[in-house]
Amino acid sequence: MLIKLLEKEHMPAVKNLWGYAFENQEPFYSWYFHEVLEPHNVLGLFAGNQLAACLQLNPYRLFLNGNSFGASYVVGVITDPAHRGKGFTKKLMLHAIEEMNYRKHAVSILMPFDTIFYSAYGWELCYTQIRYRVPMEMLRNFSDKVGSFQPIDGELDTEALAFIYQKFSQQYHGYVERNKKNWRVLLKDLVHDGGYAYLLLDEKEQPAGYILYFLKGRKLLIKEMAYIHYQAKKALFAFLYNHQSQASSVEWCAPMGDQSFLFLRDTIKPAHTNVVRILPFMCGRVINVKNALLGCRYKENIHCSYRVQISDSHAPWNNKIFSVVIEKGIPMVEEVKTGHVDLSLSINAFSRLFFGTISLEQAVFMGEAAIQQPSVMENLSRIFVQKNNYINEYF
């Protein structure tokens, strides 16, 4: 058995595994493997000369705790059916943790098929979404016909899209900092799926919002929608409502904290018309605790020190005690061998705290974290606070 990063000659085998386990719909299938996925981002496990299992480590940058972090997005974890049940996935995941640490990626994300399966390796659910399914008629009172719309040009409008996305994302946490390649891939993927993209310009002809969507049968399915202010949001809903002759309903996902459901028309009898659900979406893991803590940037009025003990059976560089001193919002971190500990927890619980999925008080209440020195609780509660996470990347 051999585990290694792949080369171009191995990509047909990776493509075949993907097609068997997930999808092989063209033109996405060939485009993704020929233009998007890079061999050095694929980790493969070989049984003899055969590629028996593989996974992808797609590089991104995430905005977490006041700073930008390099991250690996684990995608396409696949084992050939002839080799399932042999523990190959576990071997791949543990090797992937080492590779991500080598790449100096302090954190990782993955979209789970089962939110519990990857917790054995330290990943925990860190992102959820609100999903709406609403009859088109229910949008009428929430829409406002202001501004103008134009089809998005994937080459010319990237800066406008990036500007809107950044303004929209700033109210959230944990989002991807998209570069030009990210935008190019996102828009090309939309085109391959037969989707549409429109840009909203305000009365001064300045970018104010955008919408990426599909028309499937009598449904309008939104892939992504972003806006820089409330008026732009209402203009986007007016754009949606103008499709009432083509679609009878509209479906979209929104970040947790979105309050559209408060303003959409609904009926209570004989039943609620709108369907609003909370769905699990993305897991997160801290790959390197020390580097993750060093990279944080807090408010300048944060001055404190604490010691945290992490248990991580899959990453020995994390399975330590770390001394953290924060001055004017900037942390200094050192590994220590002995001495008192203020906070002790597993890498799973620490990952949720670091991503801001739960607060320290919630972690203690659920028994996921132990405070050894109660006097530090007040300061730690200012650091490990619950945040509103948002992400909308799919590979």
Side-chain angles (χ1 to χ4, degrees):
M1 184 187 68
L2 173 68
I3 299 176
K4 67 176 183 177
L5 294 173
L6 301 189
E7 298 177 9
K8 188 175 182 180
E9 64 190 67
H10 301 119
M11 295 311 285
V14 177
K15 184 179 178 182
N16 288 337
L17 280 180
W18 177 287
Y20 181 86
F22 301 119
E23 62 173 312
N24 55 13
Q25 184 177 349
E26 297 289 3
F28 171 86
Y29 187 43
S30 295
W31 166 75
Y32 180 71
F33 283 92
H34 293 162
E35 299 184 31
V36 180
L37 184 61
E38 298 179 8
H40 64 266
N41 289 327
V42 185
L43 199 60
L45 184 151
F46 291 83
N49 294 323
Q50 181 188 6
L51 181 66
C54 62
L55 58 77
Q56 301 164 27
L57 300 174
N58 292 338
Y60 282 89
R61 295 204 70 83
L62 297 182
F63 185 83
L64 292 162
N65 299 311
N67 208 352
S68 178
F69 287 85
S72 290
Y73 187 171
V74 180
V75 176
V77 183
I78 316 166
T79 300
D80 186 290
H83 294 282
R84 291 175 184 174
K86 299 179 180 179
F88 285 177
T89 296
K90 179 178 181 179
K91 290 180 173 63
L92 260 183
M93 293 301 296
L94 299 185
H95 199 97
I97 291 171
E98 293 181 357
E99 175 63 25
M100 287 183 273
N101 188 52
Y102 175 77
R103 295 184 178 200
K104 300 190 183 304
H105 284 180
V107 294
S108 171
I109 54 174
L110 64 80
M111 189 186 300
F113 72 92
D114 182 327
T115 57
I116 297 299
F117 180 84
Y118 290 102
S119 66
Y121 310 108
W123 276 266
E124 292 289 350
L125 182 66
C126 289
Y127 296 82
T128 51
Q129 293 181 336
I130 299 178
R131 179 165 293 180
Y132 291 88
R133 187 169 75 241
V134 177
M136 192 66 76
E137 178 61 27
M138 297 298 169
L139 302 183
R140 187 205 309 222
N141 295 336
F142 190 57
S143 60
D144 191 359
K145 294 182 179 181
V146 295
S148 61
F149 286 86
Q150 65 181 38
I152 289 174
D153 186 311
E155 297 296 328
L156 299 178
D157 293 325
T158 302
E159 287 189 14
L161 294 173
F163 169 76
I164 297 164
Y165 173 80
Q166 184 65 21
K167 288 287 187 181
F168 178 78
S169 300
Q170 281 177 352
Q171 60 188 310
Y172 302 108
H173 177 258
Y175 58 86
V176 167
E177 296 181 316
R178 291 178 181 164
N179 56 32
K180 289 184 178 179
K181 179 183 177 181
N182 298 144
W183 281 107
R184 186 169 64 251
V185 168
L186 176 65
L187 294 174
K188 196 70 173 180
D189 178 42
L190 183 78
V191 170
H192 286 327
D193 264 352
Y196 304 90
Y198 277 83
L199 179 68
L200 167 65
L201 302 176
D202 62 19
E203 64 278 0
K204 296 181 180 179
E205 295 294 306
Q206 297 301 307
Y210 65 80
I211 186 166
L212 316 178
Y213 65 97
F214 308 96
L215 287 168
K216 305 285 187 181
R218 293 287 295 167
K219 294 180 180 179
L220 193 154
L221 309 175
I222 300 174
K223 183 180 181 69
E224 185 166 293
M225 177 170 56
Y227 39 85
I228 64 173
H229 48 63
Y230 189 68
Q231 199 66 27
K233 180 178 181 178
K234 296 185 73 173
L236 289 171
F237 275 86
F239 178 85
L240 295 172
Y241 183 67
N242 286 341
H243 289 78
Q244 57 184 311
S245 63
Q246 295 169 270
S248 57
S249 65
V250 57
E251 298 181 16
W252 75 95
C253 289
M256 291 296 292
D258 177 84
Q259 296 183 328
S260 299
F261 59 86
L262 294 177
F263 304 98
L264 297 174
R265 182 183 165 216
D266 203 341
T267 59
I268 297 176
K269 294 183 179 181
H272 286 280
T273 303
N274 302 329
V275 177
V276 184
R277 301 169 60 200
I278 296 176
L279 298 180
F281 188 59
M282 193 78 73
C283 289
R285 189 199 204 276
V286 174
I287 299 298
N288 189 296
V289 171
K290 183 176 181 180
N291 289 343
L293 289 170
L294 276 169
C296 294
R297 292 297 179 267
Y298 306 104
K299 294 180 179 179
E300 285 194 7
N301 63 352
I302 298 291
H303 300 266
C304 69
S305 62
Y306 66 95
R307 288 188 174 192
V308 56
Q309 183 172 32
I310 306 293
S311 58
D312 187 346
S313 59
H314 301 316
W317 55 87
N318 290 336
N319 202 47
K320 298 178 179 180
I321 300 172
F322 299 93
S323 173
V324 184
V325 177
I326 303 174
E327 292 290 343
K328 294 184 177 180
I330 298 178
M332 294 178 290
V333 184
E334 293 182 353
E335 299 173 10
V336 294
K337 300 293 185 181
T338 58
H340 76 275
V341 172
D342 299 308
L343 172 66
S344 57
L345 66 174
S346 69
I347 191 63
N348 299 64
F350 180 77
S351 295
R352 279 186 165 161
L353 284 179
F354 188 82
F355 274 83
T357 310
I358 58 176
S359 67
L360 180 60
E361 290 88 349
Q362 291 167 333
V364 171
F365 176 76
M366 293 184 292
E368 293 196 357
I371 294 290
Q372 308 298 342
Q373 302 290 334
S375 60
V376 303
M377 185 70 176
E378 182 178 350
N379 281 333
L380 290 181
S381 295
R382 298 170 63 198
I383 298 168
F384 297 112
V385 299
Q386 187 173 20
K387 303 179 181 73
N388 196 353
N389 291 343
Y390 167 68
I391 201 167
N392 195 43
E393 263 57 34
Y394 290 81
F395 55 82

